[in-house]
Amino acid sequence: MMDFKTTVFFFLSAILIFAALRVITARNPVHAVLHLILSFFTAAGLWVLLQAEFLAMVLVMVYIGAVMVLFLFVVMMLDLNLDQLRQGFWNYLPLGAVIGILMVIEMGMVLGSRYFQVLDSEVPSVPAGVSNTKELGALLATDYVYPFELAAVVLLVAIVAAVALTFRGPKKTRYTDPAKQIRVKAEDRVRIVKMPVEKQD
Amino acid sequence: MFNDFVAPSLYPAAPEIFLLTMACVILLLDLGVKSPRRTLTFVLTQLTLLGCAAITLATSNVEVVYTFSNMFVDDMLADFLKLLVYLTVSVVLFYSREYIQARQDVPKGEYFVLALLATLGMMVMISANHFLTLYLGLEMMSLCLYAMVALRRSSAVCTEAAMKYFILGALASGLLLYGMSMIYGATGSLEITAVAERLYTHTVDDKVLVFGIVFLVAGLAFKLGVVPFHMWVPDVYHGAPTSVTLFIGAAPKLAAFAIVMRLLVNGLITQAEDWQSMLIILSVLSMAIGNLVAIAQTNIKRMLAYSAISHMGFMLLGIVTGVVGGDARFALNAYSSALFYVVTYVLTTTAAFGLIMLFSKAGFESDELEDFKGLNKRSPWFAAMMMFVMLSMAGIPFFVGFFAKFSVLQAVVAAGYYWLAVVAVVLSLIGAFYYLRVVKFMYFDEPKHVEPIEGPTSLKVVLSVNGVAVGLLGLFPQMLMSLCAYTLLRSL
């Protein structure tokens, strides 16, 4: 008889595997993205089971809340031509399948061997009142301050690169300046031209 | 909590901190620079590199110093490679200035800032003693390079090259990261020296470790651009603006050498047998495919890309032959020959792309082999410089490339891999054909273009110094060689 935790683990894992499979098999890209969100969500559940509540929160907030929603927008806005994407699928299938199967067999031989078994390990028992988030924060500000700062620089690089690649100089749009319009005088708009009268014959 | 934490010493990382500060300052100051020549940005960038060199020299130490909880290492190898990176980047930016000046669609200010930040990434890689910092440095450098390749926004070829580079680079980073996580699983540490210690004192789960090393070597091979992970190299070299090709082809090779040394030699030397057999395959394939396919190229940038693949394969021979069967007698010789090879390769390749840029004009790239026909009639001096570069790359005695190849081969023979030495020599002989073909075009063919070579005097002077250095170092290679050996002796 399985205990509650194991049951939850298998329940979440089953959903995760199903969702991950649907991501690559769904014909509609929006469905694929939605299934990806589902798989992230169940992965967050697995983190909670391991008592890593901060990681679970970050996964939900950053990946689902920010990244995937953005992704969903992009997929919805891009008018993907699915038939074009599938072109040549059957031509590439034999070669791809052979290589894929070979790699699966090789990795299976390594991973399935006697030495690559996952050991039964217990979740470390943490005394009540210890906050995972606080510990991580303290580590980031002390031992891991150097990689933390480096990650900040990587983000700076991303900003500079994004601006350099997309900014094409100030936009020269046509607009009217209200102050100029108020100050306008009649002589600015109408020019009276004196012309000699011509005789009609 | 964490009351026992001692603030890390920032002293060894002073060059990095200075460079980052200056990069931010230049980014802000550049907003106010209106002139398309960007003299202020350019001068400040060069001064920053000079300042970094001064700080690195001032903080240089014979001892190995660790800081930031052992994530950062400052040893002689790091100082030596960093100084070379500053020098290379400085010269590369000097060569690039006229080139990007003549092309309207390149954002000028960001070009220098991205180059500086890429330099920072290389410095972080060179000084990394932790998988995490190594990976972050690599990403920092790569992101800058992807953006620099795509900087010519109106050119579809550049965008395509950048896209290929980005996707394959991201894949390689993923492989590298996966390998690192496997090694973490096997040894329980992300710190490179701790991994080495652990492997030395404990018996670890061999299968997991080898599984990790396979991914690690594949990731490194992608970054070095060796066969069979070389597909991006020709397309990126060809598609990128020549100034960016030069940037990618020069300084990052020094950083790549550093991470290979840190990961494989410092971290995984106990598993040398595992990665050596992989590197031998990569090396022989790179020399074969690089040299053979280069013959069929009509574009000189593509030809030099395949030549880069073969050179990286040759360099790997030096790393392979360091420790054979637990015998470390020749380690110093082998690693210093690989270091010497990389340094001289960077010197030669800088001159090669610098010359291509000198010959180009607005609207004319001068990157086809045909464009080099009759160069001797247009400018005998620069034709001679190009000849120096080509002969050095081919490994003709008494140019510096010959001594580089010779010292690597010496290490290979000392390690007892006679067949490998024979293969390397034969493939280099095949490779000599396409280098000599360029020389033939320059001296024995009628020119397609007749106008003389024009360029600012300062550019011509620096290019001449670079070209003459290729020749002079070939006559007096001893000093650089002993410098390489000394830095490695102090660092290993």
Side-chain angles (χ1 to χ4, degrees):
Chain A
M1 188 62 202
M2 284 191 290
D3 62 347
F4 177 65
K5 257 187 175 171
T6 323
T7 322
V8 174
F9 171 77
F10 279 115
F11 178 66
L12 288 177
S13 306
I15 298 177
L16 178 60
I17 292 169
F18 164 75
L21 277 177
R22 286 295 294 152
V23 173
I24 52 171
T25 54
R27 295 184 82 82
N28 186 334
V30 177
H31 289 178
V33 173
L34 287 173
H35 277 102
L36 194 56
I37 293 179
L38 178 64
S39 67
F40 280 147
F41 200 78
T42 39
L46 289 177
W47 282 119
V48 173
L49 269 187
L50 287 171
Q51 301 185 3
E53 73 273 2
F54 179 73
L55 289 179
M57 288 267 285
V58 169
L59 194 62
V60 171
M61 285 197 300
V62 176
Y63 264 93
I64 302 175
V67 177
M68 288 319 291
V69 170
L70 196 70
F71 206 70
L72 201 58
F73 273 128
V74 172
V75 168
M76 282 175 172
M77 275 202 268
L78 288 178
D79 187 21
L80 287 175
N81 189 348
L82 291 176
D83 292 326
Q84 217 173 7
L85 283 180
R86 288 210 189 84
Q87 246 172 25
F89 178 79
W90 293 106
N91 292 342
Y92 293 124
L93 185 68
L95 183 66
V98 168
I99 293 176
I101 289 170
L102 265 179
M103 280 174 73
V104 166
I105 292 174
E106 281 172 4
M107 282 166 78
M109 278 161 72
V110 176
L111 296 175
S113 71
R114 202 152 57 84
Y115 299 102
F116 217 104
Q117 302 297 333
V118 179
L119 300 172
D120 285 334
S121 53
E122 291 288 313
V123 175
S125 59
V126 182
V130 171
S131 159
N132 201 314
T133 315
K134 209 171 159 184
E135 295 283 337
L136 273 173
L139 266 181
L140 275 185
T142 54
D143 283 343
Y144 286 84
V145 68
Y146 180 55
F148 184 68
E149 293 297 328
L150 287 180
V153 181
V154 172
L155 289 180
L156 174 71
V157 169
I159 296 170
V160 174
V163 172
L165 291 182
T166 51
F167 181 64
R168 278 147 210 264
K171 235 184 187 168
K172 297 213 173 49
T173 43
R174 290 158 193 274
Y175 71 100
T176 46
D177 186 354
K180 261 186 178 170
Q181 279 200 316
I182 292 168
R183 266 188 270 116
V184 84
K185 293 198 181 73
E187 50 263 36
D188 296 339
R189 292 284 161 89
V190 184
R191 192 158 55 98
I192 296 169
V193 186
K194 287 232 160 42
M195 290 177 81
V197 182
E198 284 177 27
K199 269 186 191 164
Q200 269 184 335
D201 44 23
Chain B
M1 192 164 33
F2 288 94
N3 282 335
D4 54 341
F5 175 73
V6 185
S9 159
L10 301 179
Y11 187 66
E16 279 85 353
I17 295 169
F18 175 71
L19 183 71
L20 177 59
T21 318
M22 283 308 288
C24 295
V25 168
I26 292 171
L27 188 62
L28 288 176
L29 282 180
D30 182 65
L31 280 176
V33 182
K34 289 283 178 286
S35 91
R37 285 195 63 79
R38 304 270 164 177
T39 312
L40 179 71
T41 319
F42 176 73
V43 170
L44 275 178
T45 309
Q46 295 288 13
L47 284 179
T48 305
L49 290 167
L50 198 68
C52 281
I55 296 174
T56 304
L57 278 176
T59 59
S60 176
N61 201 332
V62 187
E63 303 298 315
V64 183
V65 182
Y66 296 98
T67 185
F68 291 119
S69 323
N70 288 348
M71 285 184 193
F72 183 97
V73 58
D74 183 19
D75 52 10
M76 287 292 275
L77 178 66
D79 288 339
F80 181 61
L81 283 175
K82 274 182 202 171
L83 286 172
L84 286 171
V85 165
Y86 308 144
L87 180 69
T88 315
V89 171
S90 164
V91 171
V92 165
L93 290 181
F94 199 84
Y95 290 167
S96 322
R97 193 165 178 226
E98 286 306 315
Y99 182 87
I100 60 169
Q101 220 45 255
R103 277 147 192 85
Q104 297 299 323
D105 49 354
V106 181
K108 312 280 187 307
E110 285 84 353
Y111 185 89
F112 294 112
V113 174
L114 284 173
L116 275 186
L117 289 169
T119 313
L120 180 65
M122 289 177 224
M123 291 159 74
V124 170
M125 278 157 83
I126 289 170
S127 270
N129 189 39
H130 198 271
F131 288 152
L132 210 54
T133 50
L134 196 142
Y135 177 73
L136 282 168
L138 184 65
E139 282 304 285
M140 199 189 292
M141 180 193 80
S142 308
L143 273 178
C144 294
L145 295 184
Y146 305 146
M148 284 171 83
V149 173
L151 268 187
R152 282 192 78 180
R153 289 173 301 210
S154 54
S155 156
V157 187
C158 292
T159 314
E160 188 195 329
M163 206 61 205
K164 275 181 187 158
Y165 193 21
F166 177 65
I167 291 174
L168 288 177
L171 188 70
S173 300
L175 288 178
L176 199 65
L177 211 52
Y178 196 54
M180 286 172 178
S181 69
M182 285 286 161
I183 292 171
Y184 176 61
T187 60
S189 180
L190 282 171
E191 196 186 306
I192 293 172
T193 35
V195 166
E197 215 176 277
R198 182 106 193 162
L199 289 174
Y200 197 69
T201 52
H202 293 64
T203 45
V204 296
D205 192 337
D206 209 28
K207 283 267 165 33
V208 186
L209 194 63
V210 174
F211 202 64
I213 292 174
V214 171
F215 281 98
L216 206 64
V217 169
L220 286 176
F222 250 116
K223 295 294 173 190
L224 279 171
V226 291
V227 181
F229 305 102
H230 66 292
M231 273 72 149
W232 61 272
V233 183
D235 287 332
V236 171
Y237 272 48
H238 184 191
T242 312
S243 63
V244 179
T245 310
L246 168 57
F247 196 92
I248 294 173
K253 302 284 184 220
L254 295 166
F257 174 80
I259 60 170
V260 169
M261 284 298 284
R262 298 262 184 243
L263 280 176
L264 297 182
V265 179
N266 287 1
L268 298 163
I269 194 69
T270 45
Q271 312 310 115
E273 268 175 53
D274 294 323
W275 52 259
Q276 266 164 357
S277 44
M278 296 179 217
L279 287 193
I280 288 178
I281 299 171
L282 295 179
S283 162
V284 171
L285 280 178
S286 313
M287 287 188 292
I289 292 181
N291 280 324
L292 288 174
V293 181
I295 294 174
Q297 303 307 316
T298 54
N299 181 294
I300 192 161
K301 278 159 82 180
R302 248 188 135 72
M303 188 196 96
L304 287 174
Y306 281 103
S307 135
I309 294 171
S310 72
H311 280 290
M312 285 300 114
F314 210 106
M315 184 276 288
L316 281 183
L317 287 181
I319 298 203
V320 166
T321 50
V323 178
V324 179
D327 180 2
R329 268 179 305 157
F330 304 112
L332 185 65
N333 252 332
Y335 297 138
S336 66
S337 73
L339 178 57
F340 183 73
Y341 198 94
V342 175
V343 173
T344 54
Y345 171 72
V346 168
L347 178 80
T348 340
T349 207
T350 310
F353 285 108
L355 284 164
I356 297 176
M357 277 196 276
L358 176 71
F359 303 149
S360 74
K361 289 195 298 281
F364 171 61
E365 290 295 334
S366 177
D367 59 354
E368 294 296 322
L369 280 177
E370 302 254 299
D371 298 331
F372 284 78
K373 280 189 175 168
L375 191 65
N376 184 42
K377 296 212 174 75
R378 295 167 64 202
S379 166
W381 173 251
F382 287 107
M385 292 294 121
M386 195 69 185
M387 181 179 70
F388 280 9
V389 169
M390 288 296 138
L391 294 183
S392 170
M393 281 195 175
I396 310 275
F398 300 95
F399 288 96
V400 71
F402 166 74
F403 289 100
K405 282 197 161 63
F406 183 73
S407 60
V408 170
L409 285 175
Q410 227 174 7
V412 173
V413 170
Y417 286 114
Y418 296 106
W419 67 272
L420 210 52
V422 173
V423 169
V425 169
V426 170
L427 290 172
S428 299
L429 268 180
I430 296 173
F433 167 74
Y434 60 87
Y435 297 120
L436 291 177
R437 189 175 52 182
V438 176
V439 176
K440 181 227 162 210
F441 277 159
M442 290 192 301
Y443 283 90
F444 300 106
D445 283 6
E446 282 307 307
K448 255 179 67 185
H449 313 276
V450 281
E451 62 272 35
I453 305 296
E454 278 166 11
T457 324
S458 55
L459 177 64
K460 284 184 172 173
V461 169
V462 178
L463 259 173
S464 306
V465 170
N466 194 340
V468 170
V470 172
L472 273 186
L473 268 178
L475 294 177
F476 311 103
Q478 214 49 46
M479 218 180 84
L480 184 60
M481 262 184 190
S482 29
L483 202 60
C484 291
Y486 177 73
T487 48
L488 280 167
L489 180 69
R490 288 284 168 203
S491 312
L492 284 180

